Amino acid sequence: MIFIFFGEIILNKADSNGTLVKADIVDLVYEKVGFTRQEAAQAVDILFEEIKNRLAQGENVRISRFASFILRKKNARNARNPKTGESIRISPRTVLTFKPSKQLLASTNQETHEDTSNS
Amino acid sequence: MTKAELVEKVANQINLTKKQTEVVVNTVFSSITDSLAEGKKVELRGFGSFRIRQRNARVGRNPKSGQKVDVPSKKVPFFKAGKELRELVDENIAEQENQES
C-alpha cells in the first residue's frame, strides 16, 4: 500500500515482512509530525506505557474511533488438564478483552460489501 | 480513560503540546487500523498483537421473529495481550484486593 505524506510518496516499510511493528509506527509518527526520530520513539513508548499503567490500575481504556480495552473478572472454576485428565482449580483472575469500534470494523470490511448485496 | 485523557497524560510527560500529542496518538491508532485493513498483523513488544480473524458467512436467526437472516462473512480485528501486559493486569488487581481484605 502507498501512503502519501507531505506530497511525498513512500512505501510502507511493513510491506517487507507483512507485520507492522513499533519501529514502523515510530517512522510514521516521525514523518507526520517532524520531531526527531528519538522524540517520536519516546512519544510512542510513553503512549503504550500510559495505556498499560491504566489497565494495571484496573481502569478500562477507550480510544474513540479505534477500540476499547476492557478488563473482565473471571470467577474461579474447575477444569481438567487435557493431557492427564487431572482435575484442577483455576483461580479467579482478571483478563483483558478488546472491543473494536464501529469505525475499525468498517475499515477492515471495506471490500466485503458485495457479499451483502445479493438478496 | 478516554483518548482525550490519554493525550493529556502523554503530553504532560514529554515536551510536546497537546495538539502535537494528539497528532501522535491519532497517527499511532490510524497506522494500526490501516495495517489491519490491509490484512496485516501488528506486533508491539510488551503490549500485544493485533490481527484479523475471518468470520464465515452463516445463516442466523432473528431472535424475535425466528426468521432466517443471512449474516455475511466479515473480518474481525482481534487483540491478544502480550505476556507482560496479561500478568500486569492480573497481578496488580489481585494485590489490590488482598490489601482491601
Side-chain angles (χ1 to χ4, degrees):
Chain A
M1 272 296 126
I2 294 167
F3 290 84
I4 299 168
F5 292 114
F6 306 118
E8 181 186 5
I9 297 172
I10 49 156
L11 287 172
N12 188 343
K13 283 197 165 183
D15 279 353
S16 52
N17 57 7
T19 302
L20 188 84
V21 296
K22 199 157 72 185
D24 302 313
I25 296 179
V26 168
D27 282 350
L28 291 168
V29 170
Y30 168 71
E31 283 152 13
K32 188 133 195 169
V33 197
F35 13 95
T36 67
R37 201 171 286 259
Q38 203 188 340
E39 284 171 318
Q42 200 194 3
V44 172
D45 279 338
I46 289 173
L47 165 59
F48 287 108
E49 274 311 304
E50 190 56 40
I51 296 176
K52 265 158 75 172
N53 288 342
R54 286 310 178 103
L55 293 170
Q57 284 163 28
E59 198 181 321
N60 293 337
V61 175
R62 169 170 297 155
I63 312 293
S64 67
R65 307 186 71 79
F66 181 69
S68 298
F69 296 91
I70 297 161
L71 297 162
R72 287 204 187 284
K73 294 199 174 210
K74 299 280 186 184
N75 289 328
R77 63 188 169 91
N78 293 319
R80 270 174 206 283
N81 179 331
K83 245 186 204 158
T84 62
E86 207 179 343
S87 183
I88 47 164
R89 184 83 177 151
I90 295 179
S91 58
R93 63 193 60 213
T94 304
V95 296
L96 181 58
T97 63
F98 175 78
K99 188 174 186 297
S101 69
K102 286 214 175 82
Q103 290 87 351
L104 178 56
L105 278 170
S107 14
T108 57
N109 287 285
Q110 275 160 358
E111 336 89 314
T112 57
H113 289 291
E114 57 217 61
D115 295 358
T116 56
S117 56
N118 42 12
S119 50
Chain B
M1 180 167 70
T2 62
K3 194 166 83 179
E5 291 172 74
L6 180 64
V7 167
E8 199 168 328
K9 288 278 173 189
V10 174
N12 287 344
Q13 290 174 64
I14 36 177
N15 209 7
L16 294 179
T17 66
K18 245 190 239 178
K19 268 259 167 61
Q20 290 172 309
T21 310
E22 202 173 352
V23 176
V24 171
V25 172
N26 287 338
T27 305
V28 169
F29 291 112
S30 62
S31 69
I32 298 175
T33 302
D34 291 347
S35 288
L36 291 173
E38 291 162 25
K40 282 191 272 184
K41 284 185 293 188
V42 180
E43 283 178 5
L44 300 165
R45 279 285 148 80
F47 191 74
S49 60
F50 299 87
R51 65 194 65 216
I52 291 290
R53 283 198 173 167
Q54 177 81 40
R55 296 265 179 269
N56 291 331
R58 62 187 171 87
V59 179
R61 279 189 189 269
N62 179 331
K64 248 188 199 155
S65 61
Q67 233 171 357
K68 283 185 183 173
V69 207
D70 283 327
V71 181
S73 69
K74 57 187 158 199
K75 291 169 181 166
V76 183
F78 177 81
F79 173 70
K80 185 167 190 269
K83 191 163 180 267
E84 194 189 316
L85 179 58
R86 215 162 51 225
E87 288 174 355
L88 193 69
V89 161
D90 202 22
E91 280 165 26
N92 285 33
I93 287 166
E95 259 170 48
Q96 281 173 13
E97 278 168 3
N98 288 344
Q99 283 165 7
E100 280 165 22
S101 57

